[in-house]
Every structure is written in C-alpha cells, then in structure tokens.
C-alpha cells in the first residue's frame, strides 16, 4: 500500500518523559517501537507506516504499543468517527423516498401483472411486468447507494463506502434506462394486442414491422450491456485514494475520467435513442398515419402518450449527467468533496421522478386484461346494435321461470326443458316424467304413445357422489324422453320383419329331421335358392293352398 501522505506532511513525534517515549494525545507510546516498525505521525493526525493507519488524537489514540508493534485500544483510520454531514442528511431523505417508491412499485406490479384472460404465445405475461421488475431494481440499488453514502461522510479517511455508493449509483442508472425502455416497448406491444384482438390476421408475423420489433430489444440490450462492461469490471481501488490533494490528482481523477467512463455515457445515450425509435415505430404502425415531414413530426408529438412525454426528457438527463461526470470530476458522485447539489439533482432526482411517474400512471391505467375484456363487450354491443339484436333484461328469465333452482341437478333441468318443449310450463313436484306424459316432438307428429315401462324401464336414480355418473344418467333420461318416437319406429320395424319370417308354408317334419342331422337347413320360405343357385322344390305344396291368403300390410311385405 502506498503512503497516505507525502513526506512533507510528516511531523516529528512529540517529546515524552524520556528519549524512548512520545506523548500523543495524552497517551505515552514507546518511540523506539514506533520507529522500529516505521510508523510516522502526519499532519492529518494519523499514525501510519504505509500498511496500517491509526487515529492519533483523543479519544481514539491507542493506550499502549507492544514491542511487536501491536496497539492496544487503537482505532483505524477507516472508522465512522465523524458525524452525519450534508451528504448523509440528503441521502437519508432520498433513501426514504426510494423506499416508498419500492412499496408502491410492488403494488403496481400486483395490479398490472395479474391475469384475467388465458395466456397466448404471442403476448407473454412477463412482457408487461418487466417495467415493474426494473423499477424494483432501481429502488433497491438507489437505497443501497444512498445508505452507504452516509458512511462516506462519517469515515475519517475515504474507503469502501465511497466505492459502494458509486458502484450502486451506476447500477441505478442502468436500471433507470432499462425501466424506461421496457415501458416504451410494452406500450407498443399493448397497442399491437389491441390492434389484432378484433382480427387476429390483421398483422403478419413475418413482415418488416415484426422483424424490427424482434431486433430492437436485442440492439438495446447490446448497448446496455456494453455500458455495464465499460463501468463495472474495473479496479475501483484508486477511487478511494482521496486522502490528500496530490493523491486525488494523481489517482482518483484519472480513474474517474478515463476513456471507459466517457464511452459508457455515450453508449447509454444510444440506448435512449433506440427507445425513442421504438416509440416512433409503434406510433407509425398502431396509430393514425400522417403524411409529410412536418405532419409526421407533429403527429408523433401529438400521438405520444403523456407518460412518455414526461419520461423521455427526464431519461435523457441520465446519459447526459453520466457523460458530464466523466469529463468534470467536480460534479461526480465519485468525488469525496463533489458538488452535493449537482450530485443529487442530476444523479438521483431523475431516477426518482421516473419511478413516481411510473407509479402514478400505474395506478391510473387499468389492468390490460380487464381493459381488453371491456373493449370486447363494447364491440359486441356495437355489433348487436348494427344487427338489430336486443338482449333481454336480467329480469326476463325470472319472470318466465328460467331461473335455475338452487340445488337442482342436471337431470331436473333437462326434465324441465323437456316439459317446456312439450308446451307445458306448469311446474311439477316429481323429478322425472310419469309414463302417462306425452312428448310431442314436431308438428308432423302431434302425439306419440307413451313409453311402456316394461319395454324400456327408466334408469335408476343415482344417489352416489360422482358428478360424471349423475350427468350421464340425466343425459340418458333426457335422451329416452326426446327420442322415444325413434325407439317406437325401431320396434315396429322389428315386428314387421318378424311377421315376414312367419308368413308362408311351414317346412315338413322330415325336412326338419334331416336338417337336425346333416343337411343344411332349407330356406325359411319357398322359392329361396340353394348354394348352387338352383331352386328347391316345395316339400308339401298342398299346405300352401290350405292356408288363408297373405295380407299385405306395407311395402315391406311385397
């Protein structure tokens, strides 16, 4: 470690009781031991040998020094022994405001991140939440930077707190630009979602518009990460070397104003330009178009939402101030004695204003899913008005008995609907229709005989807990009632086919005996052909003449 002060800042040790004793702050220390370990007394009231630094005034001076160079009750130079200064007082106030913004951002995230519609692959829920995630990052990094700034004033010699407050300040700047970018990008996505909700095929997925929207986030975060790598991975130790003027000039200022910090500010400005271009792209494709250069500029200003009219100019201060401190060390947060007004007005105030603007509009704007549902209802009402459709009021169903009875099963609802089809709206106490009820199906068949319980008994009433079986039983009962006419027609067809099989001469007993042994059974009525196509003669033709003539009942008998 390099010495903290130059040789001309060294002062001689005060004389003590004898030649091997020195009196420093009412503490007698062994002068021989101090000289053996190369300790020197400096004008800033510190005792140091280049590796260790101790405070050398009351009440922080050591009580005793051992021959091996160990001090008893000593206080290091990097200790918070000073009171809260101007930087610390303002930092506490800003930290409280950022803490409140953090809580409100969480509320806004819950408000806008909740889903009320099914998720689609084209619009992921995380897209609308990113701006609030970055708001949480901004608030957290700002609080850490501001709380560590309090120790910058309290430490006697600058050390780790100065590095921490500067490090998290740069992270806060990155988070602020990402928050503004995500707000603008998501607004364009929200415009697209409203544009294609009435017609999903209104916009193509492979045109120039979609390609630009795909590459813009990649381009933004490319420059965003370049800014990160220009600032974060570096040697931060020279920043804390501000213990005397020569050290500040030779180490702190060259490090805080090097080419990497200058390039980082320019890269952040490129990110701001990409954000403005994204807003212009969204207005061009999802807002009414204007022709002419002047009209386009006026339309761009007029179509820009109020939130972005406030956010973008404030966000421009972020890269501008970062570039300023890379050239002027007097206004830099890395400067131990920097201008306090410039540091808080240009370094922390823009991020705080952006946070609260986002929060205010987050509470004003509704959830996107709810807004989309409202727009769908308005469109449906407009379509109903154009088609002349007038929906019945809510009391219409109650007056006409269409209210679902509490505790009514699916079977009871189907039975009630069947009675309404029959033309009887009189309520019944029983849950199922009696066999005497008729079911008129259409004007062509005004009445159909009731279904006989013997031929088609109703299914038993299910009393179990399975809702699926209960619904199946109810559907079965309704099907039996609604399609009773089809079952009667099927039974009539089977009866006629059976009559056709019975009509005609009865085969003789001999033929029946032969059939039971080896010969294949004869055809059921005369005239049927054998396997070789020949016509088998009648076994007893006289029986056919003795039978009464066949009565033709329908075309099926011919």
């Amino acid at each position: 470690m390099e010495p903290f002060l130059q040789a001309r800042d060294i002062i001689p040790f005060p004389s003590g009781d004898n030649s091997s004793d020195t009196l420093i702050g009412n503490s007698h220390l062994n002068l021989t031991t101090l000289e053996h370990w190369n300790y020197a007394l400096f004008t800033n009231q510190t005792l140091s040998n280049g590796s260790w630094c101790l405070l050398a005034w009351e009440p922080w001076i050591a009580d005793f020094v051992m021959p091996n160079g160990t001090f008893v009750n000593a206080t290091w130079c990097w200790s918070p022994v000073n009171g809260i200064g101007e930087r610390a007082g303002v930092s506490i106030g800003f930290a409280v405001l950022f803490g409140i913004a953090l809580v409100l951002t969480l509320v806004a995230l819950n408000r806008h991140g909740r889903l009320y519609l099914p998720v689609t692959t084209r619009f992921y829920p995380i897209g609308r939440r990113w701006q609030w995630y970055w708001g949480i990052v901004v608030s957290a990094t700002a609080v850490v930077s501001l709380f560590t700034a309090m120790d910058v004033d309290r430490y006697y010699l600058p050390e780790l707190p100065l590095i921490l407050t500067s490090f998290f300040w740069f992270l806060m700047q990155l988070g602020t630009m990402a928050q503004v970018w995500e707000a603008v990008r998501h607004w364009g996505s929200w415009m697209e979602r409203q544009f294609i909700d009435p017609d999903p095929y209104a916009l193509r997925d492979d045109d120039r518009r979609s390609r630009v929207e795909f590459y813009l986030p990649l381009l933004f975060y490319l420059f965003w990460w370049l800014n990160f790598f220009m600032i974060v991975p570096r040697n931060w130790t020279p920043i804390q070397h501000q213990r005397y003027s020569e050290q500040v000039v030779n180490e702190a200022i060259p490090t805080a104003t090097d080419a990497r910090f200058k390039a980082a500010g320019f890269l952040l400005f490129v990110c701001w330009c990409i954000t403005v271009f994204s807003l212009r792209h969204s207005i061009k494709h999802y807002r009414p178009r204007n022709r002419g250069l002047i009209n386009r500029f006026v339309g761009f200003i007029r179509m820009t939402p109020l939130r972005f009219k406030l956010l973008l100019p404030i966000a421009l201060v972020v890269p501008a101030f970062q570039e300023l401190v890379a050239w002027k060390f007097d206004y830099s947060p890395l400067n131990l004695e920097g201008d306090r007004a410039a540091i808080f007005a240009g370094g922390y105030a823009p991020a705080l204003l952006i946070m609260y603007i986002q929060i205010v509009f987050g509470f004003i704007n509704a959830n996107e899913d709810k807004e989309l549902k409202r727009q769908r209802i308005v469109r449906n009402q407009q379509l109903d008005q154009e088609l002349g459709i007038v929906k019945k009021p809510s009391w219409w169903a109650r007056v006409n008995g269409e209210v679902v009875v509490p505790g009514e099963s699916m079977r009871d609802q189907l039975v009630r609907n069947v009675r309404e089809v029959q033309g009887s709206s009189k309520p019944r106490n029983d849950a199922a229709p009696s066999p005497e009820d008729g079911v008129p199906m259409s004007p062509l068949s005004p009445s159909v005989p009731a279904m006989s319980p013997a031929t088609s008994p109703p299914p038993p009433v299910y009393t179990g807990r399975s809702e699926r079986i209960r619904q199946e039983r109810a559907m079965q009962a309704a099907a039996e009632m609604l399609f009773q006419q089809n079952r009667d027609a099927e039974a009539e067809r089977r009866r006629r086919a059976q009559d056709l099989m019975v009509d005609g001469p009865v085969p003789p007993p001999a033929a029946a005996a032969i059939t039971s042994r080896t010969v294949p059974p004869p055809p059921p009525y005369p005239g049927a052909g054998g396997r070789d196509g020949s016509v088998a003669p009648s076994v007893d033709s006289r029986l056919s003449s003795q039978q009464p003539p066949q009565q033709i009942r329908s075309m099926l008998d011919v």
Side-chain angles (χ1 to χ4, degrees), residues 348-366:
Y348 292 95
L352 186 63
L353 290 176
I354 289 173
M355 286 289 301
Y356 277 95
I357 290 174
Q358 281 282 94
I359 291 170
V360 169
F361 282 92
F363 282 96
I364 292 176
N365 299 331

Side-chain angles (χ1 to χ4, degrees), residues 80-377:
V81 296
N82 297 330
I84 295 178
E86 181 182 357
R87 182 198 291 256
V90 180
S91 297
I92 293 175
F94 271 85
V96 172
L97 294 177
F98 273 106
I100 297 174
L102 175 61
V103 177
L104 297 178
T105 300
L106 293 174
V107 176
L109 172 62
N110 180 67
R111 174 185 176 88
H112 290 273
R114 187 173 297 180
L115 301 179
Y116 296 93
L117 290 175
V119 178
T120 59
T121 56
R122 193 167 183 175
F123 303 98
Y124 291 99
I126 196 173
R128 72 174 90 167
R129 300 170 183 168
W130 266 117
Q131 55 183 323
W132 308 110
Y133 291 156
W134 282 117
I136 295 174
V137 172
V138 171
S139 298
T141 53
V143 168
V144 174
S145 176
L146 291 166
F147 274 112
T148 54
M150 292 187 294
D151 286 336
V152 174
D153 288 345
R154 299 187 64 223
Y155 269 51
Y156 184 71
L157 293 181
E159 212 246 352
L160 184 62
L162 181 61
I163 296 178
L164 289 178
T165 186
S166 304
F167 178 81
F168 282 98
W169 179 79
F170 280 106
L171 294 181
M172 182 196 68
Q173 300 280 294
L174 285 171
T176 302
M177 290 303 300
Q179 182 183 17
V180 176
W181 156 256
E182 288 296 338
V184 173
R185 182 206 57 80
H186 172 65
W187 180 80
S189 177
W190 168 235
M191 291 295 104
E192 179 186 4
R193 189 179 183 187
Q194 296 178 91
F195 196 86
I196 69 172
D197 187 66
D199 184 9
Y201 303 99
L203 298 175
R204 297 174 55 186
D205 294 337
D206 55 350
D207 55 350
R208 181 180 178 273
R209 174 198 58 84
S210 60
R211 289 194 298 270
V212 170
E213 293 178 355
F214 175 79
Y215 287 109
L216 272 182
L218 302 178
L219 189 62
F220 173 86
Y221 283 107
L222 171 63
F223 288 95
W224 189 88
W225 279 110
L226 288 175
N227 177 276
F228 176 85
F229 287 115
M230 288 291 105
I231 293 175
V232 174
R234 63 164 55 243
N235 182 19
W236 289 85
T237 303
I239 301 298
Q240 67 184 6
H241 291 170
Q242 303 182 37
R243 290 148 190 163
Y244 56 93
S245 58
E246 288 78 4
Q247 194 180 47
V248 172
V249 173
N250 297 330
E251 297 187 35
I253 294 180
T255 303
T257 59
D258 61 0
R260 294 182 61 180
F261 278 112
K262 293 181 175 69
F266 175 76
L267 293 173
L268 210 61
F269 174 72
V270 175
C271 293
W272 183 85
C273 294
I274 295 175
T275 304
V276 175
F277 178 80
S278 177
L279 178 63
R280 174 68 182 91
H281 173 82
S282 300
I283 293 177
K284 175 183 177 182
H285 290 279
Y286 308 121
R287 289 291 192 178
R289 298 188 178 183
N290 298 285
R291 297 186 179 276
L293 182 61
I294 299 178
N295 291 334
R296 288 179 182 178
F297 178 76
V298 174
F300 172 72
I301 300 299
R302 184 169 56 87
M303 293 296 178
T304 300
L306 177 61
R307 177 169 58 137
F308 300 136
K309 290 179 181 178
L310 299 175
L311 287 180
L312 290 176
I314 298 176
L316 182 59
V317 179
V318 175
F321 185 77
Q322 191 173 122
E323 190 69 21
L324 173 65
V325 300
W327 291 89
K328 297 292 184 180
F329 186 70
D330 295 337
Y331 307 109
S332 176
L334 284 68
N335 188 359
L336 182 64
E337 302 296 336
D339 190 347
R340 304 290 190 269
I343 292 174
F344 287 99
Y348 292 95
L352 186 63
L353 290 176
I354 289 173
M355 286 289 301
Y356 277 95
I357 290 174
Q358 281 282 94
I359 291 170
V360 169
F361 282 92
F363 282 96
I364 292 176
N365 299 331
N367 182 279
E368 295 178 5
D369 286 354
K370 290 185 176 180
E371 176 64 19
L372 207 60
K373 293 172 66 175
R374 186 194 65 81
Q375 294 179 8
R376 292 176 181 178
I377 294 174

Side-chain angles (χ1 to χ4, degrees), residues 521-535:
Y525 54 89
R531 292 185 178 182
D532 55 354
S534 61
V535 179

Side-chain angles (χ1 to χ4, degrees), residues 404-466:
V404 178
V405 180
E408 187 179 22
S409 63
M410 180 64 68
R411 176 188 176 91
D412 298 336
Q413 296 179 22
L414 292 174
V415 171
R416 179 160 49 83
N417 293 337
V418 169
R419 293 198 191 100
E420 294 177 0
V421 173
Q422 296 176 9
S424 173
S425 60
K426 182 179 180 180
R428 296 284 300 273
N429 296 327
D430 52 344
S434 62
E436 291 80 9
D437 293 340
V439 185
M441 297 303 297
S442 64
L444 296 179
S445 57
S447 63
V448 178
M451 179 179 60
S452 175
T455 59
S456 179
V461 179
Y462 179 71
T463 59
R465 297 183 179 180
S466 177

